[in-house]
Amino acid sequence: MKRNILCIGAGYVGGPTMAMIAQQCPDRKVTVVDINEARIRAWNSDSLPIYEPGLAEVVNACRGRNLFFSTDIGRGIAEADIIFVSVNTPTKTFGQGAGCAADLQYWEKTARLILQHATSDKIVVEKSTLPVRTADALSRILRSGDSAVHFEVLSNPEFLAEGTAIADLTHPDRVLIGGADTTTAHAAVAELVELYAAWVPRERILTANIWSSELTKLAANAMLAQRVSSINALSALCEATEANVAEVARAIGMDARIGPKFLRAGVGFGGSCFHKDILNLVYLCESYGLTEVANFWRQVVVINNYQQNRFVATMVRAMFNTVAEKRIALLGFAFKADTGDTRESPANRIARLLVDEHARVVISDPRALDNARTDLASLGDHVLFEPDPYVAVAGADAVAFLTDWREYRELDFPRLLRSMRRPAFLFDGRSFLDHDALFRLGFNVHAIGRTPLSHLDN
Ligand code: UDX
Ligand code: UDX
């Protein structure tokens, strides 16, 4: 008989991943549980709690058949054979390691719940990104009871990116499964390999020692974020030297050893993972006494914040050193296109910096406006929220693009320009628009990593 699957944590990771397993393995019962009742209600409704292209189709095909969403965590644990854990692991805001280390309290609580409700042997799979050696702590908690139940802890980090989750889950570059070097662990790893082999080619399923697996997730995110900070650092130099960062990125990306992806200069990386995981890595390095290594990775975050400060400084400088009382439309608040997620979004910091300068900020976004409202609640009526980009831009001195939404490329730019105050400024924070064409239309164009195109120069 195929064994039951449970996932604890119905978030951006748990929800889509389990929907994919349910779709690919119709003979498995997959249950997703969460402490958040509203979230579970949303998963059981027509309006899912997260926006992800293609997700609704997968959920609709499986929900009620072999995919279930519930708040009954205890029952879920009792009935499951394989338990994925994808509860959140935010950055600690208190005590030792505040601002850097991962807050593992939800993890520990979840482990104790598993121990409390388990009456048969379980494979417990770490899906959340965790500090290296968390599996060790988890195993110790699970062994602390007096029951005869055997728990085998595996690490199986998720590499999906938001906005492309369904494609990433359908055709993953690789699936990584880490386990201990024991007979029971080998059997558990083999069982998980079998599960994924239902749709992932075997050569893409890697097995590793459990510490390598845990570290790989942090390392992959750190390397990706590092590329973004590297090209962003170069973008500052391009602006100073009249080089064009897009041309530089294109040319270096054609070196097969470097590759073309993740070289787009912009206002910096956001999202729930990069920032948190790098700080986590920094904390780990420090706790092992590796100060130089910690400093190296910390710099990736320093450059990211610098890039946002620099973007706002450019706006203020271009607009005659004052934006006070000027209407500035920020188009895009999501941390990237094709998601409504605004966690750690560069737009958040940029909006706040502009409000500090007393600008009248208007925010528009096709998917993330509700989250933006929540994130910026503390700014009160210093910011306005407007779903229609044309209304947001009307009467503005400047429009700044902070998310590279496809629909923004297709805006009627002559119409936008006609509705703006003169001189009209356009700031491309994602290097994704046709700057020369916009300049010819009459905009004063400032794009990251290239010389400004200004009608105001003599
Ligand atoms: C989270 C982590 O942020 C990430 O590090 C990890 O790799 C995967 O899990 P994500 O799915 O994006 O990523 O988080 P989130 O959308 O916040 O979902 C976590 C869910 O866990 C929430 O719905 C929360 O209610 C739930 N949860 C949290 C529990 O069910 N029990 C808890 O004790 C704590
Ligand atoms: C990332 C990882 O890609 C994924 O493997 C991991 O599981 C979770 O973290 P995600 O945060 O969803 O995924 O988005 P990603 O596409 O990696 O983008 C992260 C940020 O970097 C975004 O803000 C994006 O706009 C920015 N970015 C990306 C750039 O600024 N330039 C680039 O060239 C690429």
Side-chain angles (χ1 to χ4, degrees):
M1 200 192 63
K2 296 279 186 172
R3 309 219 295 154
N4 285 338
I5 292 173
L6 176 77
C7 176
I8 306 180
Y12 285 87
V13 172
T17 311
M18 292 305 121
M20 180 58 57
I21 292 178
Q23 186 189 44
Q24 302 288 353
C25 309
D27 50 353
R28 299 262 189 179
K29 181 179 171 196
V30 181
T31 306
V32 189
V33 292
D34 201 293
I35 48 170
N36 183 332
E37 284 180 21
R39 217 168 210 196
I40 290 298
R41 252 198 318 278
W43 279 111
N44 281 320
S45 77
D46 287 337
S47 104
L48 301 183
I50 59 175
Y51 171 70
E52 193 62 62
L55 175 64
E57 287 81 349
V58 179
V59 170
N60 286 337
C62 309
R63 195 173 52 199
R65 181 191 74 187
N66 65 328
L67 176 65
F68 303 92
F69 294 92
S70 155
T71 50
D72 194 344
I73 302 181
R75 181 169 161 207
I77 292 169
E79 290 180 354
D81 305 295
I82 303 176
I83 302 177
F84 288 89
V85 185
S86 65
V87 301
N88 40 339
T89 47
T91 305
K92 253 183 113 174
T93 53
F94 54 88
Q96 276 183 37
C100 239
D103 183 348
L104 295 175
Q105 60 173 314
Y106 307 118
W107 252 92
E108 178 167 344
K109 277 186 199 138
T110 305
R112 289 181 193 278
L113 272 179
I114 295 174
L115 180 61
Q116 183 189 339
H117 292 281
T119 48
S120 58
D121 292 356
K122 315 281 177 200
I123 298 174
V124 178
V125 187
E126 301 176 340
K127 257 286 170 216
S128 307
T129 307
L130 295 160
V132 184
R133 301 204 77 89
T134 303
D136 198 19
L138 184 58
S139 298
R140 271 188 266 150
I141 295 172
L142 292 172
R143 278 200 307 265
S144 67
D146 45 16
S147 81
V149 174
H150 177 75
F151 297 99
E152 196 61 55
V153 179
L154 303 182
S155 158
N156 170 221
E158 183 47 62
F159 297 102
L160 66 80
E162 286 177 34
T164 54
I166 295 301
D168 295 344
L169 287 164
T170 311
H171 303 289
D173 287 345
R174 79 302 207 186
V175 166
L176 178 61
I177 301 169
D181 192 12
T182 61
T183 316
T184 51
H186 293 166
V189 168
E191 184 164 351
L192 211 51
V193 168
E194 218 41 57
L195 176 73
Y196 282 106
W199 78 97
V200 180
R202 295 246 173 196
E203 64 277 14
R204 288 185 183 252
I205 307 178
L206 308 179
T207 57
N209 99 30
I210 195 156
W211 319 125
S212 307
S213 176
E214 286 181 335
L215 181 58
T216 297
K217 179 63 205 249
L218 291 180
N221 278 345
M223 294 290 284
L224 289 168
Q226 170 272 124
R227 272 175 78 96
V228 176
S229 278
S230 295
I231 199 70
N232 282 344
L234 288 169
S235 77
L237 187 59
C238 288
E239 287 167 36
T241 57
E242 297 190 16
N244 179 333
V245 75
E247 292 175 353
V248 174
R250 181 154 181 261
I252 59 177
M254 285 174 75
D255 184 324
R257 293 167 303 177
I258 296 173
K261 294 185 181 165
F262 261 73
L263 287 179
R264 176 112 62 77
V267 282
F269 55 78
S272 69
C273 290
F274 282 4
H275 199 253
K276 165 172 79 75
D277 291 352
I278 290 183
L279 293 178
N280 197 333
L281 190 64
V282 166
Y283 185 72
L284 261 174
C285 294
E286 277 171 350
S287 57
Y288 285 102
L290 304 171
T291 310
E292 287 79 1
V293 186
N295 290 343
F296 173 77
W297 289 111
R298 197 195 313 273
Q299 202 58 24
V300 173
V301 174
V302 170
I303 289 289
N304 202 48
N305 293 338
Y306 163 76
Q307 190 74 346
Q308 287 148 35
N309 297 346
R310 214 166 68 75
F311 186 72
V312 172
T314 300
M315 291 179 83
V316 174
R317 201 171 49 246
M319 296 169 76
F320 319 110
N321 291 313
T322 175
V323 292
E325 296 306 319
K326 289 181 181 166
R327 181 176 171 102
I328 298 181
L330 301 184
L331 296 199
F333 200 83
F335 81 96
K336 66 183 218 182
D338 288 326
T339 175
D341 194 352
T342 60
R343 290 178 290 179
E344 301 291 342
S345 180
N348 191 326
R349 186 186 182 90
I350 289 169
R352 286 171 191 280
L353 290 170
L354 288 169
V355 168
D356 286 346
E357 293 288 341
H358 293 191
R360 293 191 293 123
V361 174
V362 188
I363 291 166
S364 192
D365 190 287
R367 295 272 174 195
L369 221 46
D370 287 343
N371 283 335
R373 273 195 194 92
T374 311
D375 296 348
L376 298 180
S378 64
L379 296 181
D381 55 10
H382 292 291
V383 277
L384 297 174
F385 300 91
E386 171 51 57
D388 183 338
Y390 294 101
V391 177
V393 172
D397 294 85
V399 52
F401 289 85
L402 302 185
T403 311
D404 47 347
W405 285 102
R406 206 169 308 115
E407 45 263 65
Y408 288 162
R409 277 180 225 266
E410 287 146 21
L411 285 170
D412 180 347
F413 284 96
R415 180 178 161 196
L416 286 182
L417 181 62
R418 279 195 304 276
S419 75
M420 292 175 70
R421 287 217 317 163
R422 302 306 158 93
F425 294 90
L426 185 150
F427 299 91
D428 182 358
R430 291 294 183 177
S431 319
F432 76 126
L433 298 172
D434 182 343
H435 305 136
D436 295 323
L438 291 166
F439 176 63
R440 283 194 300 274
L441 278 179
F443 284 104
N444 296 293
V445 181
H446 294 257
I448 282 177
R450 73 168 292 183
T451 310
L453 301 170
S454 173
H455 298 285
L456 303 168
D457 299 338
N458 294 322

